[in-house]
């Protein structure tokens, strides 16, 4: 209540949505997805909960950045548990640094080694071409449908969780006949499979971009041209895309634009022969 | 030295009073030619006032006699004082070839400088009405009147004075611009303030370039571009200014490096208008190489590197006037025109402005150390935080007021970009002047929506090119302390972590300023960018760590909880209070509260309270 009362605009802020989405994912979705995936042990839970988190924040990521890091799924498994070491290393170095710098240097060493490791992971992820999924900016209806699917899946998870608990309680009391157990298992499997299908469909809907018509987007690149063409055959071309008045155009304008359109591959970049307009005009 | 300063001061006062007097006088005698006027001084002794005057006969002799008698009798009206002070008398007059020689008694020299100027202006105004009098020359005793430099003033007529016919403020604008000239060695730029009155329909860019070509007025400043270089065309679009000079700009080289010439134009234009970049061409040709290595086919941006550091001096006002006077010498003005900017009328290039033959219409120049240094809006507010980027110092203001016609209007927060780095502290109230600009939304699909981002922080306007006018001495000691702690932490990290310092700064202090964009991009691609932002993970690790540590040290739940809470709150504020940090801190607060009171912490309710 506090943040939104102070400034309601935060409701649509990427930082706000991601931060709260993460906590929601951890708090609400994680255990249900875990039950759905059949993760009961501690380490399997640790593996599955980041997935739950990603599922919750997926539309937000796509809406604001146009892409989702797939490599992040795996990397985070390594990074998240160890980032505490980096943090405490840095903090300890800060406190020790007040007294003596060499001691701080020593304390921060393990953290620096870890950072080196992260860097290595990053470059590894960067080399493999599939590290990110460029889904493009989804429409509002796509997001709504996706969350609808997700909620159904979460209810399924809840149901499975209760079933499992009941089964546990019953099995403790008496031995079950094998038939009933098998039937129960089949039922659960069916739910799990449908949940999986629901999720897949949801994600596909989220990343769905209707093709089939010619689409031309003229980008505002300042002094210069930047025209993005999408043909009915789903080919993409960029015309020019240089600017003499804006710096780092690629990073701030072209890449976000391409990502928001869900374009991960350009079939060609066309450079018109430069026409000099004489100043007599 | 003291004497010169005194003289300069007097001259400055003369200019001011004279100006006031002549604005008051102007524009009357044209349409009512047949009416005669007599002049006296207002009670403040700051300006001339006029009244109708009916001579006995309209002949030269009678009118001269009437006027001098009225003057010597110290005739006046209730709301003013007579032109002459006690003792000053016209002892004789003679007319020769249209020049009226008026001889005063010695008391004339005893008058104060300002009074003398008013008297002189009044005399000239009065006697020029007499038929057959074309100019007036003043003698004191038998000697001709001299100015402060000891030079003869000579004959004066109405042309001695530039009259401002534009009492209607609509036609003219009056602004103070910053022009960039060079120092003696021609290797640094120096700023010079100049107030210019110009026709409103002229673009500011044209006005400043015109002024730049005219050369500096201050001592120690030297011209950067040839005086007869002419702007052939000037276009502004998309924050870029395209200037086309004639070939004089290139051919007639001054003793300055080509860089200085180009950047004096560029900086002057950027300072005066809202453009960010300047392109210079010569007679329509862009592919010129200016000098040896200045490619002109290029957009030039603001350049700080060739700035002269000591530019604002306390006695600049005085210097300015001294140089006006020097300038007059150069122009060979005979009359002591210390209150009249005759060069302003005479040397404005005719072609550029059309009918500048009419004196009243031509832009006049006043070079005064006025307080106004940049056009734009004036706002005041409290410094919330500030950061120094590579281009400018950026300050976040809260409790901001827009000052319009000396009234205060409360507005939302503003982020300002100061032109020059200032020594600011959080909690200070500052007064700044600059151009307010709405925060713009994304221009392209997928672009960063800064409009929304800043709206969350109650910021709807940026102020660019801001100039600090005033600041209060009081500041928030607490917030300054936090900033200093942060700064010293950064230093420690820098020493301890070497090249990894920026990453550690981001992780522990929430300060991404020095973080290499390349690194950020890599973390982003790998999907682990979130570790570089201070979030729940940090807060819970640090906060719980501290809490557990304190409990192990033997503190109870209460003190340990309260203490770690306090520390985390300070930490959250110190790291900049981003939304994720604040969420984490608030949730930690609730979690701690639950622990202290022995209740169960429910994450979901904590989350909804925080949201």
């Amino acid at each position: 209540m506090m943040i939104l009362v102070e400034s309601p605009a935060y409701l649509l802020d990427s930082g706000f949505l991601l931060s709260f989405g993460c906590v929601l994912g951890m708090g609400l979705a994680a255990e249900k997805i875990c039950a759905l995936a059949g993760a009961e042990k501690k380490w399997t839970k640790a593996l599955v909960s980041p997935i739950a988190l990603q599922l919750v924040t997926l539309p937000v990521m796509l809406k604001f950045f146009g892409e989702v890091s797939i490599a992040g799924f795996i990397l985070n498994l390594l990074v998240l548990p160890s980032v505490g070491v980096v943090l405490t290393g840095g903090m300890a170095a800060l406190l020790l640094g007040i007294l003596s710098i060499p001691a701080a240097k020593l304390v921060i060493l393990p953290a620096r080694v870890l950072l080196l490791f992260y860097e290595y992971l990053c470059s590894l992820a960067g080399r493999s071409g599939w590290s990110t999924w460029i889904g493009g900016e989804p429409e509002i209806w796509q997001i709504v449908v996706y969350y609808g699917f997700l909620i159904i899946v979460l209810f399924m998870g809840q149901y499975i969780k209760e079933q499992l608990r009941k089964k546990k309680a019953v099995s403790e009391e008496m031995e079950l006949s094998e038939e009933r157990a098998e039937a129960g298992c089949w039922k659960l499997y069916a739910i799990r499979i449908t949940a999986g299908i629901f999720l897949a469909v949801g994600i596909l809907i989220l990343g769905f971009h209707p093709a089939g018509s010619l689409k031309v987007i003229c980008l505002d690149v300042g002094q210069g041209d930047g025209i993005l063409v999408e043909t009915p055959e789903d080919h993409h071309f960029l015309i020019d895309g240089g600017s003499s008045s804006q710096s780092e155009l690629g990073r701030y304008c072209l890449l976000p634009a391409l990502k928001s359109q869900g374009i991960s591959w350009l079939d060609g970049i066309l450079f018109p022969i430069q026409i000099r307009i004489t100043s007599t005009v | 030295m003291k004497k010169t300063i005194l003289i300069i001061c007097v001259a400055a006062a003369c200019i001011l009073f004279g100006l006031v007097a002549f604005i008051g006088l102007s524009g009357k005698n044209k349409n009512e030619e047949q009416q005669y006027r007599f002049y006296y001084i207002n009670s403040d002794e700051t300006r001339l006032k006029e009244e109708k005057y009916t001579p006995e006969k309209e002949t030269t002799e009678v009118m001269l006699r009437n006027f001098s008698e009225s003057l010597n009798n110290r005739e006046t009206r209730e709301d003013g004082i007579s032109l002459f002070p006690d003792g000053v008398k016209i002892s004789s007059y003679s007319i020769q070839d249209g020049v009226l020689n008026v001889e005063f008694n010695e008391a004339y020299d005893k008058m104060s400088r300002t009074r003398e100027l008013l008297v002189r202006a009044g005399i000239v105004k009065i006697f020029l009405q007499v038929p057959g009098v074309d100019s007036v020359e003043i003698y004191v005793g038998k000697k001709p009147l001299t100015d402060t430099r000891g030079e003869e003033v000579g004959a004066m007529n109405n042309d001695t004075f530039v009259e401002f016919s534009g009492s209607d403020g609509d036609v003219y604008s009056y602004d103070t611009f910053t022009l960039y000239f060079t120092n003696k060695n021609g290797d640094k730029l120096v700023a010079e303030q100049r107030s210019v009155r110009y026709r409103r329909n002229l673009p500011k860019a044209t006005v400043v370039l015109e002024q730049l070509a005219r050369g500096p007025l201050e001592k120690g400043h030297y011209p950067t571009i040839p005086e007869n270089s002419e702007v052939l065309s000037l276009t502004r679009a998309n924050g870029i200014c395209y200037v086309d000079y004639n070939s004089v700009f290139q051919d007639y080289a001054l003793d300055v490096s080509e860089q200085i010439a180009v950047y004096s134009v560029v900086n002057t234009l950027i300072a005066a208008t809202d453009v960010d970049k300047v392109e210079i061409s010569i007679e329509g040709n862009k592919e010129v190489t200016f000098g040896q290595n200045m490619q002109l086919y290029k957009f030039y941006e603001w350049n700080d590197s060739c700035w002269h550091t000591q530019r604002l001096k306390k006695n600049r006002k005085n210097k300015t006037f001294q140089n006006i006077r020097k300038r007059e010498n150069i122009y060979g003005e005979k009359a002591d025109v210390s209150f009249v900017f005759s060069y302003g009328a005479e040397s404005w290039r005719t072609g550029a402005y059309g009918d500048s033959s009419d004196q009243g219409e031509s832009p006049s120049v006043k070079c005064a150390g006025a307080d106004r240094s940049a056009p734009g809006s004036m706002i005041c507010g409290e410094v919330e935080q500030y950061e120094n980027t590579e281009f400018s110092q950026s300050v976040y203001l809260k409790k901001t007021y827009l000052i319009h016609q000396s009234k205060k209007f409360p507005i939302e927060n503003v982020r300002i970009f100061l032109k020059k780095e200032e020594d600011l502290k959080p909690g200070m109230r500052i007064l700044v002047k600059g151009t307010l600009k709405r925060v713009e939304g994304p221009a392209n699909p997928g672009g960063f929506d800064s409009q929304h981002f800043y709206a969350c922080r109650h910021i709807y306007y940026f102020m660019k090119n801001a100039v600090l006018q005033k600041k209060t001495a009081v500041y928030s000691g607490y917030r300054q302390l936090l900033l200093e702690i942060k700064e010293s932490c950064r230093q420690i990290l820098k020493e301890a972590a070497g090249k990894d310092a920026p990453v550690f700064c981001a992780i522990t202090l929430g300060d991404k300023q020095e973080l290499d964009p390349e690194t950020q991009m890599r973390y982003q691609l790998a999907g682990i960018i979130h570790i570089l932002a201070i979030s729940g993970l940090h807060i819970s690790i640090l906060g719980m760590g501290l809490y557990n540590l304190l409990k192990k040290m033997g503190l109870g739940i209460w003190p340990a909880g309260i203490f770690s809470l306090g520390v985390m709150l300070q930490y959250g504020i110190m790291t900049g209070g981003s939304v994720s940090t604040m969420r984490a801190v608030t949730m930690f607060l609730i979690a701690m509260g639950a622990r202290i009171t022995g209740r169960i912490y429910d994450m979901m309710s904590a989350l909804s309270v925080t949201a």
Side-chain angles (χ1 to χ4, degrees):
Chain A
M1 281 311 188
M2 283 148 66
I3 293 172
L4 285 180
V5 164
E6 200 270 321
S7 176
Y10 268 122
L11 195 56
L12 292 174
D13 182 69
S14 61
F16 175 88
L17 286 176
L18 281 182
S19 177
F20 280 81
C22 281
V23 180
L24 264 180
M26 280 313 240
L28 269 180
E31 49 180 13
K32 281 151 200 150
I33 300 287
C34 281
L36 209 60
E40 277 162 54
K41 289 182 186 112
K42 214 174 179 182
W43 67 272
T44 42
K45 272 188 179 169
L47 265 174
V48 177
S49 7
I51 296 174
L53 204 146
Q54 290 271 8
L55 284 174
V56 174
T57 54
L58 183 69
V60 182
M61 293 292 280
L62 283 180
K63 183 79 194 160
F64 288 102
F65 306 109
E67 63 174 346
V68 178
S69 175
I70 300 167
F73 270 115
I74 302 140
L75 289 195
N76 272 322
L77 294 179
L78 292 166
V79 169
L80 277 182
S82 58
V83 74
V85 178
V86 180
L87 183 63
T88 38
M91 276 295 164
L94 267 184
L95 294 176
L96 271 177
I98 302 169
L99 302 171
S100 94
I101 292 294
K105 274 186 184 163
L106 200 72
V107 167
I108 211 166
L109 210 62
R112 291 187 66 175
V113 172
L114 261 177
L115 272 189
L116 213 66
F117 175 62
Y118 292 168
E119 288 272 320
Y120 172 72
L121 285 180
C122 287
S123 61
L124 212 66
R127 240 178 288 158
S128 62
W130 44 267
S131 65
T132 60
W133 173 52
I134 297 175
E137 204 176 293
E139 302 284 334
I140 296 295
W141 68 266
Q142 289 171 310
I143 296 175
V144 171
V145 169
Y146 174 80
Y147 274 124
F149 274 71
L150 189 65
I151 288 169
I152 296 171
V153 169
L154 289 185
F155 271 116
M156 287 174 177
Q158 182 72 20
Y159 176 75
I160 288 180
K161 207 175 133 196
E162 270 161 26
Q163 287 295 310
L164 284 176
R165 198 187 295 148
K166 241 184 239 167
K167 211 167 82 183
K168 234 182 198 172
V170 170
S171 64
E172 267 169 24
E173 279 176 21
M174 56 174 162
E175 298 275 314
L176 271 170
S177 64
E178 281 197 359
E179 283 164 46
R180 271 188 70 187
E182 229 164 68
C185 271
W186 274 114
K187 207 174 161 193
L188 289 187
Y189 277 132
I191 291 173
R192 276 174 183 159
I193 287 164
T194 37
I197 292 168
F198 265 54
L199 270 184
V201 171
I203 292 171
L204 280 179
I205 287 173
L206 206 57
F208 171 69
H209 283 285
S213 58
L214 181 72
K215 208 158 127 193
V216 179
I217 298 170
C218 297
L219 300 173
D220 177 6
V221 292
Q223 169 83 20
D225 290 329
I227 301 165
L228 203 54
V229 180
E230 193 181 317
T231 65
E233 294 80 32
D234 208 23
H235 292 298
H236 301 98
F237 296 95
L238 177 68
I239 299 170
D240 203 340
S243 170
S244 45
S245 71
Q246 280 180 22
S247 49
E248 299 200 61
L249 192 74
R251 195 165 128 226
Y252 292 118
C253 170
L254 293 183
L255 274 183
L258 289 174
K259 282 173 185 169
S260 79
Q261 297 305 308
I263 299 169
S264 50
W265 176 264
L266 279 177
D267 294 277
I269 301 177
L270 310 174
F271 289 104
I273 297 165
Q274 191 127 33
I275 306 157
R276 282 273 151 77
I277 302 162
T278 54
S279 64
T280 45
V281 174
Chain B
M1 189 62 204
K2 262 191 179 166
K3 205 178 160 192
T4 22
I5 289 176
L6 195 75
I7 292 171
I8 293 161
C9 283
V10 170
C14 293
I15 290 178
L16 222 68
F17 283 123
L19 190 75
V20 171
F22 275 90
I23 290 174
L25 282 174
S26 57
K28 293 282 159 109
N29 48 353
K30 263 184 190 168
N31 38 7
E32 298 159 284
E33 264 165 68
Q34 286 314 304
Q35 284 184 335
Y36 295 102
R37 302 190 170 272
F38 190 71
Y39 292 87
Y40 60 106
I41 299 172
N42 70 346
S43 48
D44 301 337
E45 270 195 66
T46 50
R47 56 187 292 174
L48 289 176
K49 297 192 95 170
E50 58 178 357
E51 57 164 300
K52 275 188 194 160
Y53 190 82
T54 323
E56 288 165 21
K57 258 178 156 180
E58 287 190 16
T59 61
T60 310
E61 209 155 319
V62 175
M63 280 182 73
L64 281 175
R65 198 181 65 233
N66 281 352
F67 275 135
S68 52
E69 266 168 21
S70 300
L71 283 167
N72 282 347
N73 292 338
R74 303 182 62 207
E75 276 183 17
T76 183
R77 290 287 165 275
E78 286 138 34
D79 57 339
I81 52 175
S82 67
L83 197 63
F84 288 4
D86 201 3
V88 174
K89 287 236 175 337
I90 296 175
S91 41
S92 70
Y93 52 82
S94 60
I95 186 159
Q96 202 175 20
D97 296 327
V99 181
L100 177 74
N101 295 323
V102 184
E103 198 183 305
F104 281 91
N105 60 356
E106 304 289 341
Y108 187 91
D109 276 342
K110 303 252 165 22
M111 278 192 291
S112 73
R113 189 78 185 131
T114 48
R115 182 64 180 263
E116 191 270 325
L117 274 163
L118 288 174
V119 170
R120 198 198 304 175
I123 302 274
V124 175
K125 287 262 163 196
I126 289 169
F127 283 115
L128 280 176
Q129 301 175 96
V130 177
V133 176
D134 298 322
S135 59
V136 179
E137 199 163 359
I138 295 175
Y139 286 82
V140 181
K142 291 290 169 208
K143 281 180 272 175
L145 180 69
T146 54
D147 62 22
T148 43
R149 294 193 302 270
E151 283 173 19
E152 284 183 27
V153 172
M156 292 169 285
N157 57 19
N158 270 335
D159 290 346
T160 316
F161 319 113
V162 172
E163 288 183 8
F164 299 131
S165 73
S167 46
D168 48 332
D170 293 347
V171 188
Y172 288 98
S173 282
Y174 184 78
D175 273 314
T176 308
F177 298 106
T178 310
L179 306 174
Y180 292 89
F181 295 107
T182 189
N183 60 356
K184 195 179 177 192
N185 297 333
D187 56 355
K188 292 272 183 209
L189 289 180
V190 286
E192 182 171 319
Q193 307 269 314
R194 187 175 299 180
S195 303
V196 184
R197 223 177 97 90
Y198 56 96
R199 285 169 88 175
R200 185 151 293 205
N201 55 0
L202 285 176
K204 279 180 186 169
T206 317
V207 176
V208 289
L209 287 184
E210 192 69 24
Q211 290 297 320
L212 194 69
R214 294 168 55 81
L217 291 177
E218 286 187 37
K219 198 181 173 184
H221 292 182
Y222 290 82
T224 46
I225 58 172
E227 202 174 341
N228 45 353
S229 53
E230 217 170 307
V231 179
L232 299 176
S233 77
L234 202 143
T235 322
R236 269 167 59 192
N238 292 331
I240 303 165
C241 190
Y242 304 85
V243 190
D244 192 23
Y245 267 107
N246 65 353
S247 57
V248 177
F249 184 76
Q250 186 189 20
D251 298 340
Y252 176 69
L254 292 167
D255 291 342
V256 294
S257 70
E258 49 264 35
Q259 214 188 353
I260 290 295
V262 169
Y263 276 114
S264 90
V265 173
V266 171
N267 282 9
T268 303
L269 277 174
I270 291 174
T273 58
D274 56 355
V275 299
D276 307 318
K277 296 180 179 70
V278 176
E279 190 193 76
I280 301 171
S281 55
I282 291 182
E283 303 208 330
N285 196 350
K286 285 178 185 171
E287 279 157 89
V288 201
T289 312
F290 181 60
Q292 306 219 317
N293 42 20
M294 287 297 272
Q295 290 285 338
L296 282 183
Y297 180 61
K298 185 185 161 183
F299 291 102
Y300 285 103
E301 292 183 43
W302 176 268
N303 187 330
D304 264 338
S305 62
C306 41
W307 252 42
H308 201 51
T309 40
Q310 46 126 36
R311 48 193 205 94
L312 285 164
K313 284 186 180 161
K314 273 199 172 166
N315 59 346
R316 76 165 320 144
K317 207 181 231 177
N318 302 337
K319 273 202 162 168
T320 313
F321 289 111
Q322 190 180 30
N323 281 285
I324 286 185
R325 299 176 67 89
K326 281 213 172 130
R327 185 90 181 171
E328 284 156 8
N329 265 337
I330 298 166
Y331 278 79
E333 290 298 314
K334 254 304 193 186
D336 178 9
V337 282
S338 48
F339 61 107
V340 175
F341 309 102
S342 44
Y343 76 83
E346 154 245 40
S347 55
W348 274 91
R349 241 204 314 290
T350 330
Y353 301 115
D355 53 353
S356 71
S357 51
D358 183 343
Q359 276 183 9
E361 293 257 78
S362 73
S364 330
V365 187
K366 184 179 158 246
C367 178
D371 320 327
R372 305 175 52 191
S373 43
S377 349
M378 185 95 83
I379 56 169
C380 72
E382 191 183 314
V383 177
E384 195 178 12
Q385 66 178 100
Y386 59 87
E387 50 200 42
N388 299 334
T389 62
E390 50 186 313
F391 304 110
S392 66
Q393 190 179 29
S394 140
V395 186
Y396 291 84
L397 286 188
K398 62 174 186 183
K399 294 180 194 152
T400 322
Y401 292 94
L402 177 72
I403 296 171
H404 180 62
Q405 294 177 341
S406 53
K407 271 190 208 137
K408 276 167 117 188
F409 300 96
I411 53 173
E412 299 275 3
N413 300 352
V414 177
R415 183 179 183 192
I416 60 173
F417 297 88
L418 284 172
K419 227 179 217 178
K420 203 169 58 137
E421 215 176 295
E422 303 277 355
D423 178 35
L424 293 175
K425 294 191 170 87
M428 267 183 183
R429 288 196 71 80
I430 59 169
L431 182 70
V432 283
K433 187 162 199 184
T435 327
L436 279 176
K437 228 177 175 177
R438 249 197 110 81
V439 183
E440 279 168 16
N444 290 313
F448 179 67
D449 190 349
S450 43
Q451 194 169 36
H452 190 265
F453 178 84
Y454 284 103
C456 290
R457 287 142 191 89
H458 299 290
I459 294 172
Y460 298 95
Y461 283 92
F462 285 164
M463 180 176 263
K464 299 246 166 102
N465 283 343
V467 180
L468 185 74
Q469 309 274 317
K470 263 185 213 162
K471 58 179 179 186
T472 55
V474 282
Y475 59 91
S476 157
Y478 159 70
R479 277 189 288 167
Q480 178 66 17
L481 182 75
L482 280 185
L483 260 174
E484 273 164 21
I485 291 174
K486 196 173 176 181
E487 190 51 46
S488 52
C489 284
R490 193 177 308 163
Q491 285 308 321
I492 291 170
L493 278 181
K494 216 172 242 173
E495 284 178 52
K499 70 174 175 57
D500 288 336
V503 181
F504 279 107
C505 269
I507 291 181
T508 56
L509 301 173
D511 179 9
K512 282 192 206 164
Q513 255 180 62
E514 285 164 44
L515 202 61
D516 172 28
E518 194 84 354
T519 319
Q520 233 168 321
M521 188 93 149
R522 249 183 319 205
Y523 275 72
Q524 166 104 53
L525 271 178
I528 53 170
I529 184 84
H530 57 86
I531 65 162
L532 295 181
I534 293 190
S535 68
L537 192 70
H538 294 61
I539 301 291
S540 55
I541 289 176
L542 288 176
M544 291 316 278
L546 188 67
Y547 173 74
N548 288 334
L549 192 76
L550 288 172
K551 250 177 53 177
K552 266 191 193 147
M553 278 164 66
L555 281 169
I557 292 178
W558 266 92
I562 299 277
F563 185 79
S564 51
L565 255 183
V567 171
M568 288 334 285
L569 258 177
Q570 303 309 320
Y571 179 73
I573 294 168
M574 185 181 85
T575 52
S578 75
V579 62
S580 55
T581 318
M582 278 353 263
R583 181 210 42 99
V585 170
T586 320
M587 286 182 71
F588 178 72
L589 196 133
I590 295 169
M592 265 299 137
R595 206 168 277 228
I596 290 169
T597 51
R599 285 162 188 261
I600 298 160
Y601 168 64
D602 177 40
M603 189 148 79
M604 282 310 114
S605 35
L607 187 72
S608 41
V609 167
T610 314

